[in-house]
Amino acid sequence: MSVREASPAVVTVSALDAGHLTLPERLFVTDADPEKRATVPSLSFLVQHLAPGRTRPTRLLFDLGVKRDIHGYTSSQQAHIAQRQPVIISPDCTESLLAGGTAVGPQDIDLVILSHVHWDHVGTPSDFSSATFIVGSGTLGLLKHGDGPLYPADLFNDDELPFDRTVELPLVSPFDVGSDRPKQTQPSNSALARIAPYLNPGTWAWKPLSTFPATLDLFGDGSILVVDSPGHLYGHVNLLCRIAESKYVYLGGDCCHDPRILEGDKGIALYEDGRGGLRSVHVDTQAAGATLDRIKGFVESYRGTIETEVIVAHDGVWRGLNRHKFWPGTL
């Protein structure tokens, strides 16, 4: 008699409202209505991982959305936010978590992973005083020093994340060390000690999976893979979560801002950069396009065996159709 293969490790994923902002379509998609503006969500996700032998799941938030207090942004950030009005700050991530009606509050969150540190994803980190933060390599340097003329330091809060509770993911490539990208910051001993009950960063390594050149198995059991997703901002990462034996959920952050780009109906918009050239909402438009191609290729590579649902952070259509998947509901 053959031994039955063990079922793969899975997690539960619940969506959370974490504020809304308004985006002019012409800055994000090709063939846009130049006057159209859409108020869209900035989604957060609660991911729960129950390891064998544990009675309580490890609770992880992916992205925190918009800050509850708009005055928590720098003056330069607020000038940018003025162009994204209306901005709706309630419910934010914490309010949505508490509104779930269960005994899970911000003090019960163990880990927070930020896809990147733009203003509409960093939320209010101080709400999660028990959590350890995980960010892409170079993120702390980006917060402190910015990155060139398009992303000056005053567009970020250099104290956004608590250093003694923040761990950067390892470099994806040793060639990044000598590049112009923000440099990696080694985690403090206190941050490593805090994360030890849940994760072992010493075992982390980027490995290819299907069309993705670099994925990192967060818990070592295949249930959550961090996907290096370059293009939008340095340190940008996505999450691939296995929620059933035959289903993945791909949390795409800002790999694109409109699902029609992923569907092939629209392209990434280019607009004047104020310096005589063109730019997009991505720091590297070519890399962002390559990331989208890899996502689409991944979905196709498993079609017929494993379903992959892709959710990007600002998909208002998905939000409207899937209210039952918001906490305390699950995907």
Side-chain angles (χ1 to χ4, degrees):
M1 184 175 71
S2 62
V3 177
R4 183 181 179 184
E5 186 176 342
S7 297
V10 298
V11 294
T12 61
V13 180
S14 303
L16 295 164
D17 276 320
H20 288 69
L21 65 157
T22 302
L23 303 179
E25 187 175 89
R26 63 182 177 83
L27 298 183
F28 295 91
V29 299
T30 53
D31 303 317
D33 180 341
E35 304 300 323
K36 184 176 180 181
R37 295 166 57 84
T39 300
V40 298
S42 189
L43 296 172
S44 173
F45 295 88
L46 171 65
V47 184
Q48 300 192 75
H49 174 274
L50 184 59
R54 293 180 68 97
T55 58
R56 174 194 178 281
T58 299
R59 298 185 176 104
L60 178 159
L61 289 177
F62 182 67
D63 277 345
L64 299 179
V66 179
K67 286 188 186 301
R68 184 171 55 256
D69 180 4
I70 210 78
H71 299 293
Y73 293 108
T74 68
S75 57
S76 294
Q77 287 172 325
Q78 292 191 43
H80 176 79
I81 293 168
Q83 303 170 44
R84 298 290 183 260
Q85 296 293 340
V87 171
I88 301 168
I89 59 175
S90 183
D92 73 342
C93 180
T94 294
E95 291 171 326
S96 294
L97 192 64
L98 293 172
T102 70
V104 177
Q107 72 282 357
D108 300 306
I109 300 302
D110 304 300
L111 305 167
V112 175
I113 297 181
L114 297 181
S115 65
H116 64 297
V117 288
H118 274 152
W119 70 275
D120 52 326
H121 293 260
V122 296
T124 308
S126 59
D127 284 355
F128 305 97
S129 57
S130 300
T132 303
F133 292 78
I134 300 173
V135 292
S137 178
T139 294
L140 293 176
L142 177 67
L143 289 174
K144 189 172 183 64
H145 303 293
D147 181 54
L150 294 179
Y151 294 96
D154 59 6
L155 277 181
F156 304 95
N157 288 330
D158 64 357
D159 60 351
E160 192 76 74
L161 301 176
F163 175 71
D164 64 340
R165 291 191 286 122
T166 300
V167 175
E168 286 192 0
L169 294 163
L171 286 167
V172 175
S173 167
F175 296 108
D176 291 336
V177 174
S179 72
D180 294 331
R181 66 169 294 166
K183 301 300 185 285
Q184 185 181 32
T185 301
Q186 293 300 317
S188 66
N189 289 334
S190 60
L192 292 174
R194 292 182 62 91
I195 210 171
Y198 316 107
L199 305 170
N200 182 6
T203 65
W204 286 348
W206 296 102
K207 298 178 181 179
L209 175 68
S210 182
T211 57
F212 298 129
T215 68
L216 185 150
D217 191 342
L218 194 67
F219 287 95
D221 60 6
S223 62
I224 303 177
L225 297 179
V226 181
V227 182
D228 179 51
S229 309
H232 182 59
L233 187 70
Y234 289 124
H236 187 260
V237 295
N238 294 167
L239 283 194
L240 179 66
C241 302
R242 192 161 200 157
I243 62 170
E245 187 165 357
S246 57
K247 184 167 184 181
Y248 284 122
V249 171
Y250 187 94
L251 305 179
D254 276 1
C255 65
C256 67
H257 295 69
D258 190 309
R260 291 177 295 176
I261 298 175
L262 267 173
E263 293 160 3
D265 298 328
K266 297 286 186 179
I268 299 171
L270 296 175
Y271 53 91
E272 293 181 1
D273 64 2
R275 296 174 173 79
L278 294 176
R279 62 162 298 183
S280 74
V281 294
H282 304 291
V283 68
D284 186 329
T285 307
Q286 184 175 355
T291 289
L292 291 173
D293 288 342
R294 292 177 187 125
I295 295 169
K296 289 184 281 189
F298 179 86
V299 173
E300 285 301 317
S301 71
Y302 283 92
R303 191 176 298 279
T305 56
I306 301 179
E307 177 189 358
T308 304
E309 181 176 15
V310 180
I311 310 169
V312 296
H314 303 303
D315 190 346
V317 173
W318 185 91
R319 177 185 180 273
L321 294 174
N322 292 280
R323 297 303 297 167
H324 59 290
K325 298 179 181 180
F326 281 66
W327 177 246
T330 61
L331 274 73

